[in-house]
Amino acid sequence: DGGITQSPKYLFRKEGQNVTLSCEQNLNHDAMYWYRQDPGQGLRLIYYSQIVNDFQKGDIAEGYSVSREKKESFPLTVTSAQKNPTAFYLCASSGTGREKLFFGSGTQLSVL
Amino acid sequence: AQSVTQPDIHITVSEGASLELRCNYSYGATPYLFWYVQSPGQGLQLLLKYFSGDTLVQGIKGFEAEFKRSQSSFNLRKPSVHWSDAAEYFCAVGSYSSASKIIFGSGTRLSIRP
């Protein structure tokens, strides 16, 4: 079945530590996105990539980094510079009809 | 400024009752409008979308939404809710050019009373 796989489901970060969230898709989509979701708030765009080896900052990119070396993969690193990383992180992709997003099942990141 | 407002944070309805979730938007260009649903601890699933044409759009799971340009609204409706409809619902507005332009509302949590 085609879809988006995020791992791990739960992740804990220690102070000063960088952590990487995985996102893999087998939908053959060109565009991929990372969103952050906080309770009572909508989704906020962190980074997006419309093609391999290219990506752009979203609305809240500070403290995060990404790479897009393969079409299928778009990992997100939460760096130690992100002082409030506790949130639910969602990866998404879109194909030819770029307006429609397909979402993974998310990663809950918490700080120890 | 472009924005989406969902004025109801939490709504509780009885099983079998009708449902209407409100959404108002502010968008400079012709909007593309969406409703997504999210079960706890899961990603979002597209319920329906409006791009143009008939202002009443049908979606999955028996949901429909009506675009009213004069009121800048895109309310979601269902004639009879089921316990499985309990979830968080997000309205979103965007443009055709890129999904990176999609703006999400803050969501409405729907609870179902047995």
Side-chain angles (χ1 to χ4, degrees), chain A residues 9 33 35 37 40-43 45 48 50 88 90 94 96-106, chain B residues 32 34 36 38 41-46 49 51 90 95-102 104-107:
Chain A
K9 182 69 173 175
Y33 312 82
Y35 290 91
Q37 185 178 21
Q41 298 189 35
L43 279 64
L45 184 64
Y48 65 101
Q50 300 200 12
F88 191 57
L90 286 162
S94 63
T96 306
R98 290 176 179 265
E99 70 288 344
K100 179 179 175 180
L101 291 167
F102 294 82
F103 285 87
S105 57
Chain B
Y32 282 34
F34 311 85
Y36 284 86
Q38 182 182 34
Q42 297 297 317
L44 278 69
Q45 180 185 20
L46 182 68
K49 60 186 179 184
F51 292 161
F90 292 92
S95 69
Y96 177 74
S97 59
S98 172
S100 65
K101 302 289 193 295
I102 292 179
F104 288 86
S106 55

Side-chain angles (χ1 to χ4, degrees), chain A residues 68-104:
Chain A
R68 187 84 187 279
E69 297 177 0
K70 298 187 300 182
K71 186 175 185 178
E72 304 79 23
S73 179
F74 192 41
L76 173 74
T77 296
V78 184
T79 75
S80 57
Q82 173 50 247
K83 298 307 180 187
N84 183 25
T86 297
F88 191 57
Y89 291 85
L90 286 162
C91 179
S93 70
S94 63
T96 306
R98 290 176 179 265
E99 70 288 344
K100 179 179 175 180
L101 291 167
F102 294 82
F103 285 87

